[in-house]
Amino acid sequence: VWRDEFYYQHPVIGSKDRIPRSEAVVRRDAKYTVWPDFAFEEYFDLTADPREEHNRASDPAATAAVAAMRKKLVDWRERVK
């Protein structure tokens, strides 16, 4: 059985201004990324936006989807401790 999503953590490399740390949950249809050093998040609907050109994290129409992905990120973070 192939996985339907994955979680990743990326550490700071050099400095947060060069390559900042990030965490993400990625699925075929969506990607949610958090940049903790900048208190910034991204949500992409990969079905409608496969090139990740439109960050919908603050889009009211994506509120439920973003909340679900936030929860998945927290769940994954706990699972990999």
Side-chain angles (χ1 to χ4, degrees), residues 41-68:
E41 63 185 351
E42 296 175 307
Y43 171 76
F44 297 102
D45 174 345
L46 299 177
T47 302
D49 181 19
R51 292 180 160 184
E52 301 178 21
E53 296 176 316
H54 306 286
N55 179 6
R56 297 188 60 209
S58 61
D59 180 348
T63 300
V66 172

Side-chain angles (χ1 to χ4, degrees), residues 6 10 12-13 17 25 42-43 47 56 60 69 71 77:
F6 69 91
H10 192 283
V12 168
I13 295 181
D17 296 321
V25 174
E42 296 175 307
Y43 171 76
T47 302
R56 297 188 60 209
M69 292 295 273
K71 182 177 181 336
R77 189 185 296 144

Side-chain angles (χ1 to χ4, degrees), residues 1-6 26 28:
V1 176
W2 190 249
R3 64 185 176 205
D4 57 355
E5 68 183 23
F6 69 91
V26 182
R28 287 183 188 264

